[in-house]
Each structure stands twice: as C-alpha cells, then as structure tokens.
C-alpha cells in the first residue's frame, strides 16, 4: 500500500512539474526499456530489484529487462554502447561517469523533480552527478555506500580503545600496539585497487590535503598531503605488512573475516559476509566513523549507484526510463532494506525508516545498534573530487591509481614523501590540463 | 558433375575461396580496429564523444612526456624479452622430449597443453589464489617445510608476498607468462621437429652422430625458421597482453608490473581518455613491426640456407 501511495505521489508531482515525462500508461504500445547494472554485492538486492522492475513494467505497460554484470565491466560496456549508438536504456555505474558526459542525456529534469519531491540530496551524490563547468546533470545518483572503519573489538579493547580508533593517531598507536603484541596488522591498502584509492584519500583529506581545490585547481603538492603521506608510510612500516602493496579489492574483506586484520576501511560487505558464516565472530566487529586528522574527519563514500541514460535513447523509451528512475527512488526504503543497509539513499527523506534500522539492524546484528555510527554519515562521507566536484580528470587520476602508488613509493622507501608527492602532482596536472582543454574541467587560472 | 568440378579446377578461384575467410577476418576484426585506433590516436576522442577532431601528434607527445608511460614501456619490453628466453629454452627441451617415444606420451602432451587451452582469465584466477598475499598454498607449503615462519630459511614472515613486493611480483608475472606461453611454442617446435626428413636423421645415425651433435648440428638448424615463427607469435602475444597483470596485480605494486596493454585500458576506458589510451597502445606498433620484419627475414634466410 505504502509503495502504491509513493508511486502515485511521484507520478502526480512529476505531472504537475510538467517536465515532459509521460505519466503512467501513456507510453506507446511496445515501449521497452533495458537496464544494465552490477551484480549487487547482496544477492537479495538483485532478487528484489528484478522483481520490482518486472512489476513496474507490468504496471506501466512497458517491457523491462535487467542485465547484471560484474562492476568492472560497466564502464567498458557503456563506452562500447555509446560508441555503437545502441544498447541499454539505463546503465548504472558505481563511480562518476563524468568523462562520458558528451554521450549522455542531461538529466537535470529528473534531478530537479527529485529535489522538489524529496528535498536536498547528500552532497556526495550531488557531486557525482553534476558538472558545474558544463552546468549539466549527466547522471542521477540514487544511492551511495558508506565507507566506515571496521575494527576487531576484542583486539582494540585490549589495546585500550574499546570503541575503536577515533583518529589517525589512534590508528597508528593502537594498530602498532596490536601488531607488536599479536602480529595482526592494520589493513589500509596501498595497491592499485579501489579500496586503497579511497582509504589513501581519506587520510589525505583528514590531514588537510586534496587532489584539487573547490575550483578544480590541482593542489596535491602541499605540506598537508606530504604530512599525510609520511603518516601513511609510517603506519605501513610500523603497523602493517607488505601484503598491502599487492591487495585486490577483496583482500581487506578476506583479512577481516579471517580475523587477521585489526582495522579496515570498507562498506558493511566484509561484516555481512562474516555475519552469514559466523555470528559470534561478526559480533566482534565494530564500526567507526571517519578517522579525525589535523584538519577534520573525512572518508570517501565506498561506491555510488549512478543511473545514466545514453544519448541514443529517445522518445517513449526515454520518458519511461526517467519515470522508472524516479519511481525507483520513491521505493528506496525497499532498496535500502533488501541491500541489507548497503545502499544508502541520496535523498534521506525517501527512507524515513533508516535511523530506526541503524538503531536496530533488521538483519539481526549483535548488538542491534551496530550501525548506529552511520547516523552521522552525511557529515563525513564525501566524494572522490572533494572539496571540488568529481570531474573527468578526477576519474582518470582515480583510474590510474596515482594516489595509492604515490603512498606506496614512500612506504617502500623508494622516494621521500616530498619527491613522491611532487611526482604525482606533475602527472595529475597533465591529466587536468588534458581535460581542461576539452572544456570539461574548470579552474586553471 | 563436369559442370560442378570445372570451377574448382581453377587454381586461382580455389585460392581466392580459401583466402577469403582469413582476409575477411583480418580486415574486419584486426584491420578495422587497428585503423580506428590510429584515428583515435590523432584525435581528442573520449569515451563519451567519439567525434574525430584531428589534433596531430599532441597525444603522442603528451604520452611520451608522461613518466609513468616510459616506465610502463620499459617494463613491457623487459617482461617480453626475459620471458622469451625462458620460453625458448623450455619449449626446445619439451619439444625434444615429446617427440621421443615413451609410455604415456599422449597423456603427458595433453596435460602439458592445458595451460594454453585454458581460458586465460580462468587460469589467472587460479594463479591469483596460488600467489595470494596471505593465503597462498605455496607459502603454506614453505611454512610447513620450515622455509618460512619464525627462524625460516627464506623469511621470518609467514608469507613471501608474491604479488606485493617489487622483485617477487615481477618474477611472478614473468613465471606465469612463461607457464602460459610455453605450450604454444612447444607445439610449434614439435611440428618443426616432426617435419625433419627421417632419412637425414638416419644418415646422421649411420655416420655415428650422437644425440647432442644431431641436436645442435642437424635438428636445431633445420627448425630455426619455425623457431623464429614460434618466438614471434609468443612475443607479439605477450607484448599486447593485459589479462595476466589485470587479474594478478593490476600493475602493482606501484607500477612494477604495469604493462602497455593495461595502462592503455586504464587511461582509455577506465579513465575515459580514449585518445591517449589509443596513443599508448600504438606506441608498441613500430617496435613490433620492426621486430616482425627482422624475424621473418631471419626465418626466410635460414630456410634458404
């Protein structure tokens, strides 16, 4: 019933706004839409989503097909489909597709409609869908995934931190003490993979450094970044093993589940996996918000759920796709629930139950309020381009793993922090200049 | 019947018929993408905008000024050359063994060809597990035999971190490439050895030539052209390969195992800069072309002699 009321609300508001989206059932006979998205980390979510999409199609007289692929194939498939001028109606990617902007529909209308209906969106979502220099919403971000710290409660309690580390200093002091006493290291990756790229950025932001400033000028080479890199190298040398230089995205999950890492930065995925195989061990995992450094406490969101519609989509197919996206957001309580609290809503008002679920996990955590720390997530969860926007240059810097490689060079003793940061800064400048020449990155004055 | 057989008696027509599928394959699946990559390399295309605006050599200059690219280029050449040495040695040894008569030869050949027959991504996932930084079965065996762990012969650590230290990660990638490519080279060399006329070998035996003399003075010179072809196949495949490092290391630690194919993909597809991705991949072309011409000439000369 609640779902039907929400659906009705969305349709009414969209019609009132007159944004050109056809109302329910107004599509030409034979209209079909197809979605390409990742095989969700939580299989239960895909089961729910596929059922929801089929129901939506029946209710709106639209044929809906959903294809799931490994997340690593999303960008390459989107690129191929844009180049071919044919393919899926809606593609969901997990990182900002700003570099695809010329091949995507401007979704300013549905972003405006969503803001009208559900109010402000989380800033991490806004930055992953809007490119100021082009004044274009190239995407609609419906959800994001928090990236808190996961810690071994017993180990950190013995080290004198029963609630886990709160600061990067705590992580070094406590993590080193645990490593010396038990041989169990901290797990902050320094490898060319996703989690390492985000964890290293979190430290740099918290020390006051960043890749770019608010106006998209490259500011990586700063005292703050150098201090953060020195800190990370010290953390690696004193509280971690060399394994972090060769990690895959799954390595920190595996280590935490095996009880062989004392602290990692990750989504709730490692914990949920452990919960399914050993509830007692899972009860020993706690969560912390972003660690505080000299300049604040920031952490990257883990991934974003970002819908884009390629330019080749037209007519009723386009209208139906936009309707589908808004209706999906209107049902975000179910999306969050069936993702086992993995997906957080960009529009908090779409999931009024969220705070209650964080206080009492509907999926049986012990203690039930294990995720309560995530109630403040919007205060510290930021996007890859923070404090600017996530533009195509930021995406390329991310893809080339420049930040974790910079840190690893210092931790391995190959370069000083000053040299490594200067070298990385030079490459980042090259990338920014490339994209600036195409008119897709601001700044540079 | 006569009407039907007439066109098939035309050697020219039959030649065209046999060549057409291969030519179509090369034109559509190799030639067209190659020309497209050249066009991309001289333009400013991105993953979202494939309009070909000519920018001259800008991408090539930009790529050459990129320190990471130069390291990647050097790594690619080093990996290719080092692995070819091992592939050549192992392939020759194995080809000689597999052309001898012994019990279980067919089964041994079947097992041996598996690394080449197995889909590369699947095989690499297997190696990823074998060389895992924490749960490597190789490390486990070394730990159980006292090579690792407290007072271990190799290290006091419980792990060697195969894919995480600069030296071991490079050795691991080269080892896996040798493992993967040796069967193909071996099969090609076996074909070469099998094609040596038996009367030559019989003559040598009658003249009292022993194994090493026959090998070094008769067999190897005779299969030299085909050995060069095997080497060429192996080098070109390895030079353009990205799957092995994409699965095993994604180019890490730092940039130690990043090769051209992978970097081109990371810049062009994951990073969205299709033009520079194309330029990176095309840097290898002149080198590969020169290498192919040199090796084919060498093979041709050896054949004439």
């Amino acid at each position: 019933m609640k779902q039907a009321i929400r659906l009705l609300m969305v349709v009414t508001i969209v019609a009132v706004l007159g944004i050109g989206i056809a109302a329910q059932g107004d599509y030409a006979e034979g209209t079909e839409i197809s979605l390409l998205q990742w095989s969700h980390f939580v299989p239960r979510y895909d089961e729910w989503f596929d059922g929801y999409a089929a129901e939506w199609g029946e209710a709106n007289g639209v044929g809906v097909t959903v294809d799931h692929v490994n997340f690593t194939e999303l960008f390459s498939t989107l690129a191929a489909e844009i180049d071919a001028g044919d393919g899926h109606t809606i593609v969901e990617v997990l990182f900002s597709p700003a570099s695809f902007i010329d091949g995507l529909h401007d979704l300013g209308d549905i972003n405006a409609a969503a803001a009208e209906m559900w109010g402000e969106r989380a800033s991490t979502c806004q930055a992953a869908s809007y490119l100021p220099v082009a004044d274009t919403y190239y995407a609609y971000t419906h959800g994001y995934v928090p990236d808190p710290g996961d810690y071994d409660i017993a180990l950190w309690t013995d080290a004198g931190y029963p609630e886990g580390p709160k600061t990067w200093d705590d992580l070094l002091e406590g993590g080193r003490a645990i490593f010396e006493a038990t041989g169990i290291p901290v797990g902050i990756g320094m490898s060319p993979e996703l989690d390492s790229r985000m964890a290293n950025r979190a430290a740099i932001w918290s020390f006051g450094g960043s890749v770019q400033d608010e106006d998209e000028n490259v500011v990586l080479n700063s005292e703050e970044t150098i201090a953060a890199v020195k800190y990370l190298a010290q953390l690696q040398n004193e509280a971690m093993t060399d394994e972090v230089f060769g990690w895959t995205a799954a390595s920190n999950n595996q280590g935490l589940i095996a009880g062989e890492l004392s602290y990692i930065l990750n989504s709730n995925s490692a914990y949920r996996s452990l919960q399914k195989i050993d509830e007692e061990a899972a009860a020993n995992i706690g969560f912390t918000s972003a660690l505080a450094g000299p300049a604040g406490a920031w952490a990257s969101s883990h991934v974003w759920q970002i819908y884009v519609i390629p330019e080749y989509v037209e007519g009723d197919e386009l209208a139906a796709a936009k309707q589908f996206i808004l209706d999906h957001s209107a049902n975000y309580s179910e999306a969050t629930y069936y993702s086992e609290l993995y997906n957080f809503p960009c529009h908090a008002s779409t999931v009024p139950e969220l705070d209650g679920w964080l206080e009492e996990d509907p999926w049986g955590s012990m203690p039930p309020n294990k995720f309560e720390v995530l109630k403040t997530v919007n205060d510290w969860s930021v996007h890859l381009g923070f404090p600017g926007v996530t533009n195509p240059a930021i995406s390329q810097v991310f893809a080339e793993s420049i930040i974790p490689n910079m840190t690893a060079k210092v931790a391995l003793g190959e370069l000083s922090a000053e040299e490594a940061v200067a070298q990385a800064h030079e490459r980042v400048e090259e990338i920014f200049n490339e994209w600036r020449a195409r008119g897709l990155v601001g700044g540079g004055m | 019947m006569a009407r039907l057989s007439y066109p098939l008696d035309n050697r020219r027509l039959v030649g065209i018929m046999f060549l057409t599928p291969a030519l179509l394959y090369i034109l559509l699946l190799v030639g067209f993408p190659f020309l497209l990559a050249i066009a991309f390399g001289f333009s400013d295309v991105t993953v979202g905008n494939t309009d070909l605006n000519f920018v001259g050599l800008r991408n090539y200059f930009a790529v050459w000024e990129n320190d990471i690219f130069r390291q990647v280029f050097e790594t690619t050449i080093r990996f290719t050359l080092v692995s070819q040495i091992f592939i050549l040695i192992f392939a020759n040894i194995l080809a000689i063994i597999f052309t001898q008569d012994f019990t279980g030869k067919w089964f041994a050949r079947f097992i041996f060809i598996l690394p080449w027959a197995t889909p590369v991504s699947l095989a690499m996932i297997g190696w990823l597990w074998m060389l895992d930084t924490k749960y490597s079965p190789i490390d486990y065996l070394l730990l159980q035999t006292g090579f690792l762990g407290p007072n271990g012969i190799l290290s006091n650590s419980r792990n060697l971190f195969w894919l995480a230290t600069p030296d071991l990660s490079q050795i691991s990638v080269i080892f896996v490439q040798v493992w993967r490519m040796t069967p193909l080279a071996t099969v090609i060399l076996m074909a070469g050895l099998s094609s040596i006329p038996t009367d030559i070998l019989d003559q040598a035996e009658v003249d009292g030539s022993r194994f090493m003399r026959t090998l070094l003075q008769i067999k190897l010179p005779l299969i030299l052209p085909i050995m060069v072809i095997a080497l060429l196949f192996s080098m070109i495949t390895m030079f353009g390969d990205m799957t092995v490092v994409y699965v095993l290391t994604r180019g890490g630690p730092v940039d130690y195992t990043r090769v051209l194919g992978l970097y081109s993909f990371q810049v062009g597809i994951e990073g969205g800069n299709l033009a520079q991705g194309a330029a990176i991949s095309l840097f290898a072309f002149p080198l590969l072309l020169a290498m192919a011409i040199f090796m084919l000439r060498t093979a041709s000369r050896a054949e004439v002699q």
Side-chain angles (χ1 to χ4, degrees):
Chain A
M1 188 60 188
K2 198 194 288 179
Q3 188 178 330
I5 292 169
R6 282 203 178 137
L7 194 62
L8 192 63
M9 268 176 60
V10 174
V11 170
T12 308
I13 294 170
V14 165
V16 169
L17 284 169
I19 58 174
I21 299 171
Q24 194 170 350
D26 278 356
Y27 310 111
E29 202 175 324
T31 300
E32 291 186 2
I33 63 169
S34 56
L35 290 97
L36 177 73
Q37 54 193 49
W38 73 314
S39 296
H40 199 285
F41 172 76
V42 180
R44 185 179 273 128
Y45 177 87
D46 283 345
E47 281 171 32
W48 167 78
F49 185 88
D50 292 352
Y52 168 80
E55 276 178 31
W56 184 93
E58 276 177 33
N60 290 275
V62 173
V64 183
T65 52
V66 184
D67 297 319
H68 299 274
V69 295
N70 185 293
F71 76 91
T72 55
E73 293 169 34
L74 291 169
F75 271 170
S76 53
T77 308
L78 178 61
E81 293 187 349
I82 287 175
D83 192 30
D86 193 17
H88 291 86
T89 314
I90 300 172
V91 179
E92 185 190 67
V93 292
L94 302 185
F95 295 94
S96 166
S99 51
F100 290 83
I101 188 167
D102 291 326
L104 302 174
H105 272 291
D106 182 347
L107 299 183
D109 51 3
I110 56 172
N111 275 282
E116 185 74 27
M117 287 184 283
W118 303 306
E120 280 288 294
R121 62 173 61 78
S123 62
T124 188
C125 299
Q126 170 76 5
S129 8
Y130 178 67
L131 194 63
V133 73
D135 190 22
T136 301
Y137 278 95
Y138 52 88
Y140 178 90
T141 306
H142 61 81
Y144 70 100
V145 178
D147 202 37
D150 308 22
Y151 70 100
D152 184 309
I153 295 171
L155 290 174
W156 282 88
T157 301
D158 289 347
Y161 302 88
E163 293 181 357
K166 301 277 186 201
T167 67
W168 288 98
D169 277 346
D170 288 351
L171 186 69
L172 177 60
E173 295 302 323
R176 182 171 48 204
I178 292 168
F179 187 47
E180 284 170 359
T182 66
I184 296 176
V186 168
I188 301 291
M190 294 183 182
S191 161
E193 54 87 25
L194 303 176
D195 291 349
S196 300
R197 296 173 193 168
M198 288 181 274
N200 284 243
R201 277 172 173 77
I204 291 170
W205 290 325
S206 302
F207 275 73
S210 59
V211 173
Q212 64 173 2
D213 64 15
E214 287 178 12
D215 300 318
E216 301 177 79
N217 297 302
V218 178
V219 294
L220 184 63
N221 195 355
S222 66
E223 285 178 11
E224 291 81 6
T225 306
I226 291 168
V229 171
K230 282 180 178 170
Y231 165 84
L232 285 168
Q234 188 184 1
L235 182 68
Q236 195 285 321
N237 291 333
E238 296 176 10
M240 297 199 267
T241 66
D242 284 354
E243 65 180 300
V244 296
F245 300 123
W247 269 2
T248 67
S251 299
N252 57 2
N253 294 47
Q254 292 166 355
L256 189 82
I257 289 169
E260 294 185 7
L261 291 173
S262 67
Y263 177 95
I264 65 170
L265 273 174
N266 211 318
S267 65
N268 69 12
S269 56
Y271 166 75
R272 288 295 191 203
S273 300
L274 185 56
Q275 200 184 8
K276 290 179 178 74
I277 54 176
D278 187 344
E279 284 192 9
E280 198 179 326
N284 185 43
I285 301 299
F287 291 95
T288 67
S289 58
L291 298 177
W298 309 104
S300 173
S301 302
H302 190 67
V303 291
W304 298 257
Q305 284 99 10
I306 304 169
Y307 276 146
V308 297
I309 304 179
E311 257 194 342
Y312 55 73
V313 179
E314 294 173 337
D316 277 1
E317 186 185 354
L318 176 61
K322 289 182 175 182
Q323 185 68 54
F324 180 89
I325 289 173
L326 284 175
D327 289 348
H328 174 248
S329 275
N331 286 280
Y332 222 78
S333 285
E334 291 187 43
T336 301
Y337 179 80
Y338 285 109
S339 70
E340 299 175 4
L341 310 192
Y342 187 85
N343 289 25
F344 269 46
C346 284
H347 293 277
S349 67
T350 56
V351 189
E353 306 91 338
L354 184 58
D355 278 356
W357 287 341
L358 296 177
E359 286 164 13
E360 188 166 348
D361 178 26
W363 297 103
S365 286
M366 289 303 293
N369 67 342
K370 192 175 283 285
F371 292 111
E372 203 164 11
V373 68
L374 296 181
K375 284 168 92 172
T376 61
V377 65
N378 283 326
D379 296 337
W380 48 264
S381 189
V382 295
H383 59 94
L384 297 175
F386 179 77
V389 293
T390 301
N391 54 42
I394 286 290
S395 298
Q396 191 176 338
V397 171
F398 187 75
E400 288 192 29
S401 296
I402 292 170
I403 302 301
N405 285 355
M406 168 183 82
T407 312
K409 283 174 193 168
V410 182
L412 281 165
E414 292 178 0
L415 294 177
S416 69
E418 288 80 1
E419 289 166 338
V421 173
Q423 195 182 68
H425 182 99
E426 191 183 333
R427 177 63 190 141
V428 173
E429 277 276 22
E430 288 168 4
I431 293 170
F432 268 68
N433 288 337
E434 273 286 320
W435 288 102
R436 205 171 272 134
R438 293 186 173 97
L440 294 177
V441 170
M445 298 298 180
Chain B
M1 195 63 194
R3 276 172 181 273
L4 273 177
S5 64
Y6 177 68
L8 295 179
D9 288 339
N10 184 331
R11 288 169 63 88
R12 188 181 169 83
L13 183 68
V14 171
I16 291 170
M17 276 173 59
F18 282 145
L19 278 176
T20 302
L23 279 174
L24 279 176
Y25 170 84
I26 291 169
L27 283 175
L28 294 176
L29 297 178
V30 181
F32 178 69
F34 176 67
L35 291 175
L36 199 61
I38 291 175
F40 281 179
F42 287 101
S43 74
D44 66 348
V45 293
T46 68
V47 282
N49 185 350
T50 47
D51 292 344
L52 291 171
N53 300 314
F54 183 70
V55 297
L57 290 168
R58 192 180 81 187
N59 290 316
Y60 294 93
F61 285 124
V63 165
W64 189 248
E65 283 166 13
N66 174 359
D67 290 340
I68 297 174
F69 167 77
R70 289 205 293 273
Q71 186 179 343
V72 166
F73 196 50
E74 189 209 311
T75 303
T76 310
I77 293 172
R78 191 172 64 249
F79 279 11
T80 305
L81 292 179
V82 172
S83 50
Q84 294 318 305
I85 294 169
F86 288 106
I87 289 169
L88 208 55
I89 293 169
F90 292 142
N92 271 295
I93 294 170
L94 288 163
I96 290 162
I97 292 171
F98 286 139
T99 46
Q100 307 299 309
D101 284 326
F102 60 91
T103 311
K105 182 169 85 170
W106 291 104
F107 182 70
R109 280 183 176 183
F110 165 73
I111 293 291
F112 178 73
I113 200 73
L114 279 180
W116 178 252
T118 309
V120 59
S121 51
L122 200 64
M124 287 314 109
I125 289 170
W127 278 110
L128 185 64
W129 292 342
M130 292 290 282
L131 301 170
D132 189 89
T133 48
K134 212 180 211 18
Y135 307 108
S136 162
I138 301 169
D139 283 352
Y140 178 77
L141 286 175
L142 292 172
L143 189 67
Q144 297 303 314
T145 49
F147 284 91
L148 292 179
N151 304 317
I153 298 164
L154 293 175
S155 167
N156 289 332
S157 166
R158 295 171 61 87
N159 298 93
L160 280 177
F161 307 119
W162 294 98
L163 300 175
T165 62
D167 291 340
L168 278 180
S169 62
Q170 293 181 80
I171 291 170
S172 299
V173 168
I174 289 170
F175 173 81
V176 171
Q177 289 284 21
V178 171
W179 173 85
R180 187 170 78 97
M181 300 299 298
T182 299
L184 174 69
T186 306
V187 169
I188 295 173
L189 293 184
M190 279 165 60
L193 286 171
S194 306
S195 67
I196 297 174
T198 47
D199 56 337
I200 296 178
L201 299 175
D202 291 344
Q203 179 86 48
E205 200 175 343
V206 170
D207 290 348
S209 171
R210 297 190 178 231
F211 174 79
M212 284 308 286
R213 194 179 175 92
T214 306
L215 176 68
L216 296 175
Q217 294 193 338
I218 299 175
K219 287 184 174 177
L220 288 184
L222 281 174
I223 65 164
L224 186 61
I226 208 158
M227 203 187 301
V228 172
I229 300 295
L231 201 59
L232 186 64
F233 267 34
S234 177
M235 282 178 99
I236 289 175
T237 306
M238 246 205 85
F239 213 95
D241 177 70
M242 67 164 264
T243 316
V244 170
V245 288
Y246 183 77
V247 177
L248 289 184
T249 63
R250 293 190 66 85
V254 191
D255 291 317
Y256 281 103
T257 61
R258 186 137 63 170
V259 293
L260 276 179
L262 177 65
Y263 193 46
S264 169
F265 179 76
Q266 288 172 333
V267 171
I269 302 296
E270 294 184 339
N273 196 339
L274 210 48
Q276 277 202 4
I280 289 168
S281 65
L282 285 171
F283 253 98
F285 176 68
L287 190 67
L288 287 176
L289 185 67
M291 211 162 62
I293 291 170
F294 171 75
M295 292 176 85
L296 288 172
R297 279 191 173 178
T298 307
S300 173
R301 278 198 206 113
E303 209 163 17
V304 171
Q305 283 164 6

